[in-house]
Amino acid sequence: MNARQKGDITMRAYRFRPSPALMILLMLVPAVCLGISIPDTITLNDKGTLYEPFPFNHAKHVRDAKECSDCHHHTTGTLVEDPNCVRCHRNSGEAKTVTCRGCHSRSPFSVASLKELSSNEKIYHRDKPGLKGAMHQACIGCHSKQAAGPVGCEDCHTRKKAGHALYNSGEFTPKTRTATGHGH
Amino acid sequence: MKRRDFLKACLVSGATASLGMTGKAWGSGSFEGYPDGMGVLVDTTRCIGCRSCEAACNKEQKLPEPASSFDDKSVFKETRRTDENALTVVNRYEPQEQGKGPVYRKQQCNHCNEPACLTSCFVNAYTKTKEGAVIYNSKICVGCRNCMIACPFNMPAYSYSSAFNPVVKKCIFCYDTRLKVGRPPACVEICPQEALTFGHRKDLIKVAHERIRETPDRYHDHVYGEKECGGTGWLYLSSLSPEQIALDTSLSNDPIISNVKDFLGTVPMVLTIWPALFSGIHLLATRNKDHGHEHANHGQEDSKP
Ligand code: SF4
Ligand code: SF4
């Protein structure tokens, strides 16, 4: 109960955004809590075949986000607020791994992944998105909600030649017909 | 008149006597799909209308070059249908309520537990595989278009690229290249938003209801395809009611098979008449195509090679 109250108070402090000094202090809290270095940039899509890898500005998001847990669930920062997560994670401490790929699989629909799901009834988070889904949902979800930040594919990624071939874009844009999609 | 009612009427009026059992064993219409059948949960609340799924399908199924790039968002101005060149399309629907953004819905063959196309096909070109896919053998297909009429979702289309071998075309759940070996379909794999979740159909139904339960504000409380037409392999979740995203709610929960099996006793007769009839129509269609005109009254010129 204590922990829960403490969590609530911290949350409230964030929401009201009091004085600039306090804000700066609060922004430092997660970093202090973690006691490990937080990356400023993270290279995403490093194994992409359709799009080039690109740098994700983590430092900027640390500055802009209200909470680490906005992206990292309950794994770092303040305690969990989401009523669905609170049911179990009310008192959960910080997780050992906070990276997206630490939990979200690169191949959520592989034979192995699906087999694990069907053979182990005890898995609770059965509907956990894969890495690609989790990241796009988090990024695009927040960017659309805040009406800030990129939401289009190529706003973040630069397409490789293979990507252009797949989407019939760039040098692979259909030439013979008009671009209105009406054909003939 | 619904198309399948039309079909039914045609068949019934053509039948003067009840003919014996057909080769197919009709159960009570309660087949729930294969226990390990796979499916896809289409969560339209996640879809951003990027059309990546269309692009992936185009390449995986070796379909013709599209009229414009898959980046072209102007296609959303019209409601599109699947056809022989696009086995899946994403459409945009504007919600009636103010302040809600558009909803995008991918559509393709829904891979029914008890497919009406299969039921209606008198040459048995269709198969429902144990993995859950509804596939067809184009070598057997005679191009009669029965399945097109029977399908409650209007999915099968025809390809006339080869004049003498018109073949049915529809999503095959990437059966040959992927599903058969346990891989997710191309459209599912590429979807950036994981708007498409691939898994065992029975698990997906649980997942769908769980999503509604956990975030009731996000969803209209209905899993489309769980019951419709006896259940479909592809299921839909949405913030809007099914009608608002053009999902037909007039369909009964009974599989189409229950409606058609009564009169499918007439199939043997149909078998004797229709192939001749349709090869005639087919010849006409191909000849008309050459002329670039449609003349519906050339039936008397019908001739078989
Ligand atoms: S399952 Fe395969 S064939 Fe069907 S829509 Fe997806 S990519 Fe196309
Ligand atoms: S790829 Fe996914 S997000 Fe993009 S249009 Fe298709 S279903 Fe929607």
Side-chain angles (χ1 to χ4, degrees), chain B residues 42 51-59 61 63 70 80-91 105-110 155 169-172 174 186-188 190 196 234 236:
Chain B
V42 181
R51 301 183 66 207
S52 300
C53 46
E54 290 185 36
C57 180
N58 177 276
K59 300 301 170 299
Q61 298 301 330
L63 299 172
F70 287 103
R80 293 175 299 153
R81 277 191 55 175
T82 52
D83 60 25
E84 74 274 21
N85 300 319
L87 309 186
T88 184
V89 294
V90 180
N91 279 312
R105 177 169 71 85
K106 175 190 187 296
Q107 65 176 65
Q108 69 300 305
C109 164
N110 288 323
M155 278 305 140
K169 282 263 188 184
K170 67 165 198 74
C171 158
I172 52 163
C174 289
C187 53
V188 169
I190 202 164
L196 313 170
W234 287 55
Y236 300 83

